[in-house]
Every structure is written in structure tokens, then in C-alpha cells.
PDB file of all heavy atoms in Angstrom:
ATOM      1  N   VAL A   1       8.409 -33.235-103.749  1.00 76.00           N
ATOM      2  CA  VAL A   1       9.433 -32.497-104.422  1.00 76.00           C
ATOM      3  C   VAL A   1      10.532 -32.078-103.453  1.00 76.00           C
ATOM      4  O   VAL A   1      11.749 -32.278-103.685  1.00 76.00           O
ATOM      5  CB  VAL A   1       8.867 -31.255-105.153  1.00 76.00           C
ATOM      6  CG1 VAL A   1       9.955 -30.523-105.883  1.00 76.00           C
ATOM      7  CG2 VAL A   1       7.794 -31.668-106.151  1.00 76.00           C
ATOM      8  N   HIS A   2      10.116 -31.420-102.375  1.00 73.00           N
ATOM      9  CA  HIS A   2      11.060 -30.965-101.302  1.00 73.00           C
ATOM     10  C   HIS A   2      10.715 -31.715-100.037  1.00 73.00           C
ATOM     11  O   HIS A   2       9.954 -31.248 -99.194  1.00 73.00           O
ATOM     12  CB  HIS A   2      10.929 -29.458-101.116  1.00 73.00           C
ATOM     13  CG  HIS A   2      11.349 -28.687-102.333  1.00 73.00           C
ATOM     14  ND1 HIS A   2      12.656 -28.466-102.668  1.00 73.00           N
ATOM     15  CD2 HIS A   2      10.628 -28.065-103.244  1.00 73.00           C
ATOM     16  CE1 HIS A   2      12.703 -27.748-103.770  1.00 73.00           C
ATOM     17  NE2 HIS A   2      11.475 -27.489-104.162  1.00 73.00           N
ATOM     18  N   ALA A   3      11.239 -32.932 -99.894  1.00 69.00           N
ATOM     19  CA  ALA A   3      10.920 -33.756 -98.731  1.00 69.00           C
ATOM     20  C   ALA A   3      11.278 -33.060 -97.434  1.00 69.00           C
ATOM     21  O   ALA A   3      10.509 -33.098 -96.431  1.00 69.00           O
ATOM     22  CB  ALA A   3      11.662 -35.106 -98.802  1.00 69.00           C
ATOM     23  N   SER A   4      12.427 -32.386 -97.368  1.00 71.00           N
ATOM     24  CA  SER A   4      12.861 -31.725 -96.112  1.00 71.00           C
ATOM     25  C   SER A   4      12.003 -30.473 -95.839  1.00 71.00           C
ATOM     26  O   SER A   4      11.596 -30.237 -94.711  1.00 71.00           O
ATOM     27  CB  SER A   4      14.323 -31.342 -96.153  1.00 71.00           C
ATOM     28  OG  SER A   4      14.572 -30.516 -97.326  1.00 71.00           O
ATOM     29  N   ALA A   5      11.740 -29.661 -96.838  1.00 72.00           N
ATOM     30  CA  ALA A   5      11.004 -28.434 -96.653  1.00 72.00           C
ATOM     31  C   ALA A   5       9.563 -28.686 -96.224  1.00 72.00           C
ATOM     32  O   ALA A   5       8.972 -27.940 -95.438  1.00 72.00           O
ATOM     33  CB  ALA A   5      11.002 -27.643 -97.939  1.00 72.00           C
ATOM     34  N   ASN A   6       8.981 -29.789 -96.703  1.00 77.00           N
ATOM     35  CA  ASN A   6       7.581 -30.118 -96.354  1.00 77.00           C
ATOM     36  C   ASN A   6       7.456 -31.241 -95.396  1.00 77.00           C
ATOM     37  O   ASN A   6       6.399 -31.886 -95.244  1.00 77.00           O
ATOM     38  CB  ASN A   6       6.803 -30.448 -97.625  1.00 77.00           C
ATOM     39  CG  ASN A   6       6.586 -29.211 -98.521  1.00 77.00           C
ATOM     40  OD1 ASN A   6       7.084 -29.165 -99.620  1.00 77.00           O
ATOM     41  ND2 ASN A   6       5.868 -28.252 -98.017  1.00 77.00           N
ATOM     42  N   ASN A   7       8.524 -31.594 -94.697  1.00 76.00           N
ATOM     43  CA  ASN A   7       8.530 -32.721 -93.755  1.00 76.00           C
ATOM     44  C   ASN A   7       7.462 -32.620 -92.718  1.00 76.00           C
ATOM     45  O   ASN A   7       6.763 -33.597 -92.437  1.00 76.00           O
ATOM     46  CB  ASN A   7       9.938 -32.864 -93.068  1.00 76.00           C
ATOM     47  CG  ASN A   7      10.014 -34.081 -92.220  1.00 76.00           C
ATOM     48  OD1 ASN A   7       9.935 -35.201 -92.714  1.00 76.00           O
ATOM     49  ND2 ASN A   7      10.157 -33.870 -90.915  1.00 76.00           N
ATOM     50  N   ALA A   8       7.280 -31.434 -92.116  1.00 80.00           N
ATOM     51  CA  ALA A   8       6.258 -31.225 -91.072  1.00 80.00           C
ATOM     52  C   ALA A   8       4.891 -31.458 -91.675  1.00 80.00           C
ATOM     53  O   ALA A   8       4.001 -32.041 -91.008  1.00 80.00           O
ATOM     54  CB  ALA A   8       6.364 -29.838 -90.479  1.00 80.00           C
ATOM     55  N   LEU A   9       4.631 -31.029 -92.927  1.00 83.00           N
ATOM     56  CA  LEU A   9       3.363 -31.241 -93.599  1.00 83.00           C
ATOM     57  C   LEU A   9       3.073 -32.705 -93.720  1.00 83.00           C
ATOM     58  O   LEU A   9       1.953 -33.178 -93.375  1.00 83.00           O
ATOM     59  CB  LEU A   9       3.363 -30.574 -94.946  1.00 83.00           C
ATOM     60  CG  LEU A   9       2.258 -30.959 -95.894  1.00 83.00           C
ATOM     61  CD1 LEU A   9       0.912 -30.461 -95.408  1.00 83.00           C
ATOM     62  CD2 LEU A   9       2.532 -30.418 -97.326  1.00 83.00           C
ATOM     63  N   TYR A  10       4.028 -33.488 -94.176  1.00 82.00           N
ATOM     64  CA  TYR A  10       3.813 -34.907 -94.381  1.00 82.00           C
ATOM     65  C   TYR A  10       3.542 -35.629 -93.067  1.00 82.00           C
ATOM     66  O   TYR A  10       2.750 -36.544 -93.001  1.00 82.00           O
ATOM     67  CB  TYR A  10       5.000 -35.532 -95.115  1.00 82.00           C
ATOM     68  CG  TYR A  10       5.276 -34.935 -96.475  1.00 82.00           C
ATOM     69  CD1 TYR A  10       6.573 -34.650 -96.894  1.00 82.00           C
ATOM     70  CD2 TYR A  10       4.213 -34.613 -97.316  1.00 82.00           C
ATOM     71  CE1 TYR A  10       6.796 -34.099 -98.153  1.00 82.00           C
ATOM     72  CE2 TYR A  10       4.426 -34.036 -98.573  1.00 82.00           C
ATOM     73  CZ  TYR A  10       5.722 -33.765 -98.974  1.00 82.00           C
ATOM     74  OH  TYR A  10       5.954 -33.215-100.206  1.00 82.00           O
ATOM     75  N   ARG A  11       4.225 -35.163 -92.037  1.00 81.00           N
ATOM     76  CA  ARG A  11       4.013 -35.770 -90.678  1.00 81.00           C
ATOM     77  C   ARG A  11       2.576 -35.529 -90.258  1.00 81.00           C
ATOM     78  O   ARG A  11       1.921 -36.370 -89.658  1.00 81.00           O
ATOM     79  CB  ARG A  11       4.956 -35.189 -89.647  1.00 81.00           C
ATOM     80  CG  ARG A  11       6.438 -35.424 -89.952  1.00 81.00           C
ATOM     81  CD  ARG A  11       6.711 -36.949 -89.975  1.00 81.00           C
ATOM     82  NE  ARG A  11       8.066 -37.239 -90.430  1.00 81.00           N
ATOM     83  CZ  ARG A  11       8.479 -38.415 -90.868  1.00 81.00           C
ATOM     84  NH1 ARG A  11       7.633 -39.401 -90.873  1.00 81.00           N
ATOM     85  NH2 ARG A  11       9.704 -38.587 -91.306  1.00 81.00           N
ATOM     86  N   ARG A  12       2.030 -34.301 -90.497  1.00 84.00           N
ATOM     87  CA  ARG A  12       0.666 -34.002 -90.107  1.00 84.00           C
ATOM     88  C   ARG A  12      -0.297 -34.833 -90.963  1.00 84.00           C
ATOM     89  O   ARG A  12      -1.323 -35.317 -90.426  1.00 84.00           O
ATOM     90  CB  ARG A  12       0.393 -32.499 -90.336  1.00 84.00           C
ATOM     91  CG  ARG A  12       1.101 -31.578 -89.367  1.00 84.00           C
ATOM     92  CD  ARG A  12       0.451 -30.183 -89.314  1.00 84.00           C
ATOM     93  NE  ARG A  12       0.436 -29.572 -90.605  1.00 84.00           N
ATOM     94  CZ  ARG A  12       1.424 -28.872 -91.148  1.00 84.00           C
ATOM     95  NH1 ARG A  12       2.513 -28.673 -90.430  1.00 84.00           N
ATOM     96  NH2 ARG A  12       1.324 -28.301 -92.328  1.00 84.00           N
ATOM     97  N   LEU A  13      -0.024 -34.991 -92.244  1.00 83.00           N
ATOM     98  CA  LEU A  13      -0.939 -35.744 -93.077  1.00 83.00           C
ATOM     99  C   LEU A  13      -0.985 -37.239 -92.619  1.00 83.00           C
ATOM    100  O   LEU A  13      -2.035 -37.834 -92.737  1.00 83.00           O
ATOM    101  CB  LEU A  13      -0.413 -35.720 -94.555  1.00 83.00           C
ATOM    102  CG  LEU A  13      -0.599 -34.376 -95.299  1.00 83.00           C
ATOM    103  CD1 LEU A  13       0.037 -34.478 -96.660  1.00 83.00           C
ATOM    104  CD2 LEU A  13      -2.079 -34.036 -95.397  1.00 83.00           C
ATOM    105  N   GLU A  14       0.103 -37.721 -92.092  1.00 80.00           N
ATOM    106  CA  GLU A  14       0.137 -39.091 -91.642  1.00 80.00           C
ATOM    107  C   GLU A  14      -0.806 -39.296 -90.481  1.00 80.00           C
ATOM    108  O   GLU A  14      -1.208 -40.413 -90.139  1.00 80.00           O
ATOM    109  CB  GLU A  14       1.559 -39.515 -91.223  1.00 80.00           C
ATOM    110  CG  GLU A  14       2.534 -39.689 -92.415  1.00 80.00           C
ATOM    111  CD  GLU A  14       2.059 -40.839 -93.315  1.00 80.00           C
ATOM    112  OE1 GLU A  14       2.058 -42.015 -92.874  1.00 80.00           O
ATOM    113  OE2 GLU A  14       1.692 -40.551 -94.483  1.00 80.00           O
ATOM    114  N   MET A  15      -1.155 -38.214 -89.739  1.00 82.00           N
ATOM    115  CA  MET A  15      -2.048 -38.325 -88.588  1.00 82.00           C
ATOM    116  C   MET A  15      -3.491 -38.194 -88.964  1.00 82.00           C
ATOM    117  O   MET A  15      -4.379 -38.332 -88.142  1.00 82.00           O
ATOM    118  CB  MET A  15      -1.714 -37.186 -87.584  1.00 82.00           C
ATOM    119  CG  MET A  15      -0.225 -37.164 -87.118  1.00 82.00           C
ATOM    120  SD  MET A  15       0.219 -38.723 -86.277  1.00 82.00           S
ATOM    121  CE  MET A  15      -0.791 -38.588 -84.795  1.00 82.00           C
ATOM    122  N   THR A  16      -3.804 -37.904 -90.246  1.00 83.00           N
ATOM    123  CA  THR A  16      -5.158 -37.774 -90.683  1.00 83.00           C
ATOM    124  C   THR A  16      -5.717 -39.076 -91.185  1.00 83.00           C
ATOM    125  O   THR A  16      -4.983 -40.061 -91.332  1.00 83.00           O
ATOM    126  CB  THR A  16      -5.300 -36.703 -91.831  1.00 83.00           C
ATOM    127  OG1 THR A  16      -4.712 -37.267 -93.040  1.00 83.00           O
ATOM    128  CG2 THR A  16      -4.567 -35.448 -91.440  1.00 83.00           C
ATOM    129  N   THR A  17      -7.001 -39.117 -91.447  1.00 84.00           N
ATOM    130  CA  THR A  17      -7.659 -40.328 -91.997  1.00 84.00           C
ATOM    131  C   THR A  17      -7.767 -40.296 -93.543  1.00 84.00           C
ATOM    132  O   THR A  17      -8.260 -41.257 -94.122  1.00 84.00           O
ATOM    133  CB  THR A  17      -9.049 -40.504 -91.403  1.00 84.00           C
ATOM    134  OG1 THR A  17      -9.848 -39.332 -91.748  1.00 84.00           O
ATOM    135  CG2 THR A  17      -8.995 -40.674 -89.918  1.00 84.00           C
ATOM    136  N   THR A  18      -7.247 -39.233 -94.161  1.00 87.00           N
ATOM    137  CA  THR A  18      -7.317 -39.130 -95.662  1.00 87.00           C
ATOM    138  C   THR A  18      -6.328 -40.098 -96.261  1.00 87.00           C
ATOM    139  O   THR A  18      -5.140 -40.062 -95.969  1.00 87.00           O
ATOM    140  CB  THR A  18      -6.953 -37.684 -96.094  1.00 87.00           C
ATOM    141  OG1 THR A  18      -7.837 -36.750 -95.471  1.00 87.00           O
ATOM    142  CG2 THR A  18      -7.085 -37.624 -97.600  1.00 87.00           C
ATOM    143  N   PRO A  19      -6.829 -41.008 -97.108  1.00 91.00           N
ATOM    144  CA  PRO A  19      -5.893 -41.921 -97.768  1.00 91.00           C
ATOM    145  C   PRO A  19      -4.916 -41.126 -98.700  1.00 91.00           C
ATOM    146  O   PRO A  19      -5.384 -40.266 -99.468  1.00 91.00           O
ATOM    147  CB  PRO A  19      -6.820 -42.869 -98.606  1.00 91.00           C
ATOM    148  CG  PRO A  19      -8.170 -42.729 -97.944  1.00 91.00           C
ATOM    149  CD  PRO A  19      -8.204 -41.321 -97.446  1.00 91.00           C
ATOM    150  N   ILE A  20      -3.656 -41.478 -98.603  1.00 92.00           N
ATOM    151  CA  ILE A  20      -2.637 -40.723 -99.361  1.00 92.00           C
ATOM    152  C   ILE A  20      -1.643 -41.720-100.016  1.00 92.00           C
ATOM    153  O   ILE A  20      -1.256 -42.722 -99.370  1.00 92.00           O
ATOM    154  CB  ILE A  20      -1.803 -39.753 -98.461  1.00 92.00           C
ATOM    155  CG1 ILE A  20      -2.778 -38.804 -97.739  1.00 92.00           C
ATOM    156  CG2 ILE A  20      -0.793 -39.010 -99.277  1.00 92.00           C
ATOM    157  CD1 ILE A  20      -2.098 -38.046 -96.653  1.00 92.00           C
ATOM    158  N   VAL A  21      -1.259 -41.424-101.247  1.00 93.00           N
ATOM    159  CA  VAL A  21      -0.160 -42.161-101.862  1.00 93.00           C
ATOM    160  C   VAL A  21       0.846 -41.091-102.368  1.00 93.00           C
ATOM    161  O   VAL A  21       0.376 -40.163-103.090  1.00 93.00           O
ATOM    162  CB  VAL A  21      -0.652 -43.036-103.069  1.00 93.00           C
ATOM    163  CG1 VAL A  21       0.596 -43.633-103.719  1.00 93.00           C
ATOM    164  CG2 VAL A  21      -1.576 -44.122-102.561  1.00 93.00           C
ATOM    165  N   TYR A  22       2.079 -41.243-101.975  1.00 91.00           N
ATOM    166  CA  TYR A  22       3.097 -40.291-102.414  1.00 91.00           C
ATOM    167  C   TYR A  22       3.807 -40.936-103.645  1.00 91.00           C
ATOM    168  O   TYR A  22       3.831 -42.152-103.821  1.00 91.00           O
ATOM    169  CB  TYR A  22       4.120 -40.087-101.347  1.00 91.00           C
ATOM    170  CG  TYR A  22       3.574 -39.461-100.046  1.00 91.00           C
ATOM    171  CD1 TYR A  22       3.431 -40.215 -98.897  1.00 91.00           C
ATOM    172  CD2 TYR A  22       3.204 -38.153-100.027  1.00 91.00           C
ATOM    173  CE1 TYR A  22       2.909 -39.650 -97.727  1.00 91.00           C
ATOM    174  CE2 TYR A  22       2.667 -37.572 -98.889  1.00 91.00           C
ATOM    175  CZ  TYR A  22       2.527 -38.358 -97.761  1.00 91.00           C
ATOM    176  OH  TYR A  22       2.018 -37.800 -96.607  1.00 91.00           O
ATOM    177  N   PHE A  23       4.414 -40.030-104.481  1.00 90.00           N
ATOM    178  CA  PHE A  23       5.075 -40.546-105.630  1.00 90.00           C
ATOM    179  C   PHE A  23       6.200 -39.643-106.095  1.00 90.00           C
ATOM    180  O   PHE A  23       6.276 -38.494-105.698  1.00 90.00           O
ATOM    181  CB  PHE A  23       4.070 -40.749-106.790  1.00 90.00           C
ATOM    182  CG  PHE A  23       3.501 -39.450-107.396  1.00 90.00           C
ATOM    183  CD1 PHE A  23       4.048 -38.899-108.484  1.00 90.00           C
ATOM    184  CD2 PHE A  23       2.395 -38.889-106.810  1.00 90.00           C
ATOM    185  CE1 PHE A  23       3.491 -37.737-109.060  1.00 90.00           C
ATOM    186  CE2 PHE A  23       1.823 -37.704-107.331  1.00 90.00           C
ATOM    187  CZ  PHE A  23       2.400 -37.136-108.461  1.00 90.00           C
ATOM    188  N   ASP A  24       7.054 -40.225-106.930  1.00 82.00           N
ATOM    189  CA  ASP A  24       8.118 -39.593-107.726  1.00 82.00           C
ATOM    190  C   ASP A  24       9.397 -39.385-106.997  1.00 82.00           C
ATOM    191  O   ASP A  24      10.462 -39.433-107.624  1.00 82.00           O
ATOM    192  CB  ASP A  24       7.631 -38.243-108.265  1.00 82.00           C
ATOM    193  CG  ASP A  24       8.506 -37.746-109.397  1.00 82.00           C
ATOM    194  OD1 ASP A  24       8.813 -38.567-110.286  1.00 82.00           O
ATOM    195  OD2 ASP A  24       8.907 -36.587-109.377  1.00 82.00           O
ATOM    196  N   SER A  25       9.431 -39.096-105.679  1.00 73.00           N
ATOM    197  CA  SER A  25      10.682 -38.861-105.001  1.00 73.00           C
ATOM    198  C   SER A  25      10.755 -39.650-103.728  1.00 73.00           C
ATOM    199  O   SER A  25       9.741 -39.876-103.043  1.00 73.00           O
ATOM    200  CB  SER A  25      10.897 -37.381-104.671  1.00 73.00           C
ATOM    201  OG  SER A  25      10.950 -36.611-105.841  1.00 73.00           O
ATOM    202  N   LYS A  26      11.943 -40.031-103.353  1.00 64.00           N
ATOM    203  CA  LYS A  26      12.148 -40.726-102.088  1.00 64.00           C
ATOM    204  C   LYS A  26      11.846 -39.818-100.932  1.00 64.00           C
ATOM    205  O   LYS A  26      12.156 -38.616-100.969  1.00 64.00           O
ATOM    206  CB  LYS A  26      13.535 -41.232-101.992  1.00 64.00           C
ATOM    207  CG  LYS A  26      13.802 -42.212-100.817  1.00 64.00           C
ATOM    208  CD  LYS A  26      15.241 -42.604-100.725  1.00 64.00           C
ATOM    209  CE  LYS A  26      15.627 -43.488-101.879  1.00 64.00           C
ATOM    210  NZ  LYS A  26      14.940 -44.733-101.930  1.00 64.00           N
ATOM    211  N   ALA A  27      11.254 -40.349 -99.904  1.00 59.00           N
ATOM    212  CA  ALA A  27      11.041 -39.534 -98.679  1.00 59.00           C
ATOM    213  C   ALA A  27      11.541 -40.366 -97.494  1.00 59.00           C
ATOM    214  O   ALA A  27      11.881 -41.563 -97.607  1.00 59.00           O
ATOM    215  CB  ALA A  27       9.544 -39.256 -98.510  1.00 59.00           C
ATOM    216  N   ASP A  28      11.595 -39.749 -96.320  1.00 55.00           N
ATOM    217  CA  ASP A  28      11.944 -40.434 -95.124  1.00 55.00           C
ATOM    218  C   ASP A  28      10.806 -41.353 -94.722  1.00 55.00           C
ATOM    219  O   ASP A  28       9.763 -40.956 -94.235  1.00 55.00           O
ATOM    220  CB  ASP A  28      12.260 -39.455 -93.959  1.00 55.00           C
ATOM    221  CG  ASP A  28      12.648 -40.156 -92.716  1.00 55.00           C
ATOM    222  OD1 ASP A  28      12.834 -41.369 -92.703  1.00 55.00           O
ATOM    223  OD2 ASP A  28      12.823 -39.471 -91.703  1.00 55.00           O
ATOM    224  N   LEU A  29      10.983 -42.667 -94.930  1.00 49.00           N
ATOM    225  CA  LEU A  29       9.895 -43.630 -94.716  1.00 49.00           C
ATOM    226  C   LEU A  29       9.875 -44.168 -93.279  1.00 49.00           C
ATOM    227  O   LEU A  29       9.033 -45.021 -92.993  1.00 49.00           O
ATOM    228  CB  LEU A  29      10.035 -44.809 -95.666  1.00 49.00           C
ATOM    229  CG  LEU A  29       9.889 -44.454 -97.148  1.00 49.00           C
ATOM    230  CD1 LEU A  29      10.240 -45.663 -98.003  1.00 49.00           C
ATOM    231  CD2 LEU A  29       8.490 -43.970 -97.502  1.00 49.00           C
ATOM    232  N   ALA A  30      10.782 -43.687 -92.444  1.00 56.00           N
ATOM    233  CA  ALA A  30      10.903 -44.319 -91.108  1.00 56.00           C
ATOM    234  C   ALA A  30       9.618 -44.365 -90.376  1.00 56.00           C
ATOM    235  O   ALA A  30       9.283 -45.376 -89.814  1.00 56.00           O
ATOM    236  CB  ALA A  30      12.000 -43.515 -90.351  1.00 56.00           C
ATOM    237  N   ASP A  31       8.823 -43.243 -90.347  1.00 64.00           N
ATOM    238  CA  ASP A  31       7.632 -43.225 -89.549  1.00 64.00           C
ATOM    239  C   ASP A  31       6.370 -43.080 -90.409  1.00 64.00           C
ATOM    240  O   ASP A  31       5.307 -42.841 -89.914  1.00 64.00           O
ATOM    241  CB  ASP A  31       7.655 -42.022 -88.581  1.00 64.00           C
ATOM    242  CG  ASP A  31       8.850 -42.096 -87.633  1.00 64.00           C
ATOM    243  OD1 ASP A  31       9.109 -43.211 -87.166  1.00 64.00           O
ATOM    244  OD2 ASP A  31       9.528 -41.099 -87.438  1.00 64.00           O
ATOM    245  N   MET A  32       6.499 -43.262 -91.717  1.00 71.00           N
ATOM    246  CA  MET A  32       5.377 -43.085 -92.615  1.00 71.00           C
ATOM    247  C   MET A  32       4.633 -44.368 -92.838  1.00 71.00           C
ATOM    248  O   MET A  32       5.248 -45.427 -92.928  1.00 71.00           O
ATOM    249  CB  MET A  32       5.846 -42.493 -93.957  1.00 71.00           C
ATOM    250  CG  MET A  32       6.420 -41.071 -93.849  1.00 71.00           C
ATOM    251  SD  MET A  32       7.046 -40.435 -95.398  1.00 71.00           S
ATOM    252  CE  MET A  32       5.539 -40.339 -96.392  1.00 71.00           C
TER     253      MET A  32
END
């Protein structure tokens, strides 16, 4: 919903082993 406000959260999630699929809004896909 708020890609910029939760950017740090998404970056941390990318470092975990939990499988994740995002949906509904565009996000910065550069490092995801």
C-alpha cells in the first residue's frame, strides 16, 4: 500500500527465508 513508508520492512523481508509474494501495487523491484 505504502511502498515508500514500508520500504525498510520489505528490504528486511527480502533477507529472510520466508516465501513472499507481493500484490496490488507497484514497488521498487530493483533489488527485490
